[in-house]
Amino acid sequence: MKFAALLSVFLLSIVSVRADITIGKFDMASIRDTKTLETKIIEDWHANPKDAAIRQKIVEITVCEWWPGMKVRLPVTFLAPATGVCTNVVIENTGLQLKPAAASGAKLRLLKEQGVGLVFIGMVPIDAMEPVGKLHLMMEEHFIQTKDTRYTPAWIWGISDMRALTAAIAEKEVFQPKKVLATGGSKRGVATAAAGIADDRVTAIMPVVAPVIESPGGPYVEGMLSAEITKMNEDFIAAMTDPVGREKLLVRQKARSDERITVKMVRDAGWTDAEAKSACNAAWEACRTTNYLDVLKQRGTEIFYNQGSNDNVSPGLVEMGRLFPQVPVYIVPGGQHGGAKEAGFVKSVGGLPEVDENLRAFALHHFFGTRHMVAPPQVTTKWDKAAHRLAVKVVFPDHSEPQENTVWWSVNRHPDYSIAMEFDAWSSAPLEKTGADTYSGAVSIAGDVKTLDVITVHVQEENGSTLTVSSPEIRIE
């Protein structure tokens, strides 16, 4: 009750500063109501045809009635050991195919080796959901008419994860969750964060390449990006020499546009400039974890973000580090959101082996306590401008002593939301142990250094699992 009261007060304070934009609420009683799932069994429980040690089931459920007459229904796959009851559950996401999703990597190991239940709900861009090519347009119209962020991607993605958990709980002979870890990348990371914020059944979240503090990819109201960055992006695309890469990048830009509204749309609807500006942030309030750290801490929810330094879907990492250095994170230096290799996207964070292993290590920590979670390191930097020399000292407040320790840096980074930022170069050097829980190093950096961004990365092996964490991104100006 104390947590609910605190969350309610905070939400009211958020709503009050959003001009006439209303922050969409989640009706938790309805979300937890198994009777409203309207479950349709596609394939009942049966042995996995490739592995008899795994049983599986796929259903289709009603996520919600988004607005009168518009029921959103999505497929859910359940995977569990052949026998027993799962008290530890991972919520993940998949496509809309009406066939059982397959587990791989860390999730498969957690299922087979630790008996963790897996729940996959179909989650795709709004324009790919039924009615295909129309739902996103209807969503936009409802948002413009009501100014309620219930009608945004973050809201529908978040409730999808929560309803998937409700569907799992309805399978009470297989799932009786005591701890629930939600995870996913990009839009699925948005869902992860939104579910973790709103639903106290979720006890841990590991969003991957998902927004933390700023809006993903640019303002939700298109046309409000600064003229300087808009021109930078136009010039970047015009300068691309590979026509295939240019076309791939344009396709990505359009896909992002399809889930947003425009300045013209809101002005035609009579919105004020203040409302348009407010909507840019309010649209993503459901997943902005940094606004809810106090209530999540009180609840005991564990958080571990895995991000890319060069991902413009998760901008604001420097600001996040300055304001919220206590948030556990692994920022991959040079890590990108993902995209066509022809367009130059070659370091997708979600596909990195260490990020997959991070899920396993985080789950082993959260579910079983068989390893500890390395605390965010405390980093001190000193830039000698005359000597062009950077000195770095890292101390672990929880007395962790990772086996691998590295400092990374990037010179004169491009601004958030610029395409060029996604291709900023990073360099690295090892850190040496210089005392208990302490690692240090110094490097010479040539050139005209106006700004210097620094990230330290640390790899810690413990009891058969490997955890990779980092410092926040630190900017020296």
Side-chain angles (χ1 to χ4, degrees):
M1 288 299 291
K2 186 182 293 184
F3 166 77
L6 183 58
L7 183 58
S8 297
V9 169
F10 185 82
L11 287 174
L12 286 173
S13 69
I14 289 290
V15 171
S16 67
V17 299
R18 294 296 187 188
D20 289 328
I21 305 299
T22 300
I23 301 301
K25 298 178 181 178
F26 292 111
D27 180 351
M28 295 311 303
S30 175
I31 287 170
R32 298 180 188 208
D33 187 355
T34 59
K35 297 188 294 296
T36 60
L37 290 169
E38 300 177 308
T39 302
K40 176 184 177 182
I41 298 175
I42 307 301
E43 293 182 19
D44 212 341
W45 285 108
H46 62 282
N48 182 296
K50 295 182 179 180
D51 190 340
I54 299 172
R55 53 180 159 167
Q56 61 190 36
K57 179 178 182 177
I58 181 169
V59 300
E60 187 182 72
I61 64 168
T62 294
V63 170
C64 66
E65 188 171 21
W66 208 353
W67 53 82
M70 185 64 248
K71 285 187 177 181
V72 175
R73 289 182 60 80
L74 294 173
V76 180
T77 293
F78 306 115
L79 299 179
T83 60
V85 173
C86 298
T87 58
N88 298 302
V89 175
V90 169
I91 305 292
E92 241 277 24
N93 315 100
T94 183
L96 298 181
Q97 66 277 6
L98 294 179
K99 60 181 182 180
S104 62
K107 290 182 283 291
L108 183 60
R109 291 191 66 182
L110 290 168
L111 169 61
K112 290 180 64 67
E113 296 173 12
Q114 278 78 36
V116 174
L118 305 179
V119 180
F120 295 84
I121 184 161
M123 190 172 297
V124 294
I126 311 301
D127 64 345
M129 296 167 62
E130 293 290 343
V132 176
K134 298 179 180 179
L135 185 63
H136 69 295
L137 301 176
M138 293 187 282
M139 172 194 71
E140 292 167 359
E141 181 63 23
H142 275 79
F143 182 40
I144 290 170
Q145 294 303 319
T146 65
K147 302 176 186 175
D148 188 337
T149 64
R150 171 187 174 95
Y151 307 111
T152 59
W155 192 92
I156 195 66
W157 291 334
I159 196 175
S160 298
D161 265 20
M162 291 183 265
R163 289 291 274 173
L165 177 54
T166 297
I169 290 171
E171 303 288 331
K172 56 187 177 182
E173 293 185 1
V174 179
F175 294 102
Q176 296 177 22
K178 295 180 180 178
K179 291 185 178 180
V180 176
L181 190 162
T183 189
S186 190
K187 68 184 70 63
R188 296 158 179 177
V190 168
T192 293
I197 290 166
D199 193 339
D200 63 10
R201 298 176 300 176
V202 177
T203 55
I205 58 171
M206 184 178 144
V208 179
V209 291
V212 187
I213 192 169
E214 296 289 353
S215 302
Y220 190 69
V221 182
E222 286 210 328
M224 299 196 72
L225 190 64
S226 75
E228 178 186 4
I229 295 179
T230 298
K231 186 176 188 308
M232 285 179 64
N233 290 343
E234 291 171 350
D235 291 347
F236 185 96
I237 293 173
M240 294 179 71
T241 57
D242 183 346
V244 176
R246 184 189 302 115
E247 180 60 26
K248 296 284 188 181
L249 192 55
L250 289 171
V251 167
R252 186 195 75 169
Q253 299 298 86
K254 183 182 183 303
R256 291 181 177 178
S257 297
D258 285 344
E259 289 173 346
R260 297 175 183 168
I261 56 179
T262 67
V263 167
K264 183 180 185 306
M265 292 165 69
V266 299
R267 286 179 177 167
D268 287 349
W271 283 31
T272 65
D273 288 346
E275 288 169 334
K277 183 178 180 180
S278 175
C280 289
N281 284 324
W284 302 103
E285 181 61 33
C287 65
R288 192 167 283 112
T289 311
T290 48
N291 281 349
Y292 301 89
L293 292 177
D294 288 343
V295 291
L296 291 172
K297 181 179 180 180
Q298 182 179 1
R299 190 202 297 169
T301 305
E302 293 198 272
I303 302 168
F304 184 29
Y305 272 88
N306 281 232
Q307 306 290 85
S309 68
N310 293 15
D311 177 13
N312 69 11
V313 170
S314 51
L317 293 180
V318 172
E319 181 185 8
M320 175 189 168
R322 186 170 61 250
L323 298 177
F324 308 104
Q326 73 274 28
V327 176
V329 67
Y330 171 39
I331 301 174
V332 180
Q336 300 166 311
H337 191 79
K341 291 183 178 179
E342 297 91 338
F345 296 103
V346 295
K347 196 172 183 180
S348 172
V349 171
L352 295 176
E354 68 263 32
V355 173
D356 186 59
E357 177 61 16
N358 269 353
L359 173 60
R360 178 170 172 268
F362 186 46
L364 291 174
H365 157 75
H366 181 70
F367 290 145
F368 308 105
T370 54
R371 65 156 300 128
H372 85 288
M373 191 68 190
V374 176
Q378 297 173 347
V379 181
T380 303
T381 61
K382 182 179 180 181
W383 169 241
D384 186 331
K385 189 172 182 179
H388 279 252
R389 190 165 179 81
L390 171 69
V392 177
K393 179 181 178 181
V394 181
V395 177
F396 285 91
D398 65 345
H399 308 299
S400 292
E401 294 192 341
Q403 291 89 348
E404 296 180 32
N405 302 275
T406 310
V407 59
W408 291 78
W409 66 91
S410 181
V411 177
N412 302 336
R413 295 212 63 191
H414 293 89
D416 284 341
Y417 299 132
S418 67
I419 297 173
M421 179 273 283
E422 301 180 76
F423 300 94
D424 284 341
W426 288 79
S427 302
S428 67
L431 294 171
E432 302 297 332
K433 186 172 183 180
T434 54
D437 326 320
T438 303
Y439 302 84
S440 304
V443 294
S444 296
I445 301 173
D448 182 15
V449 180
K450 295 182 175 64
T451 65
L452 186 60
D453 283 33
V454 177
I455 299 171
T456 65
V457 174
H458 311 274
V459 181
Q460 205 253 5
E461 297 181 15
E462 182 180 326
N463 291 338
S465 69
T466 303
L467 183 71
T468 305
V469 302
S470 79
S471 70
E473 184 171 345
I474 301 164
R475 179 160 296 166
I476 304 169
E477 298 183 273

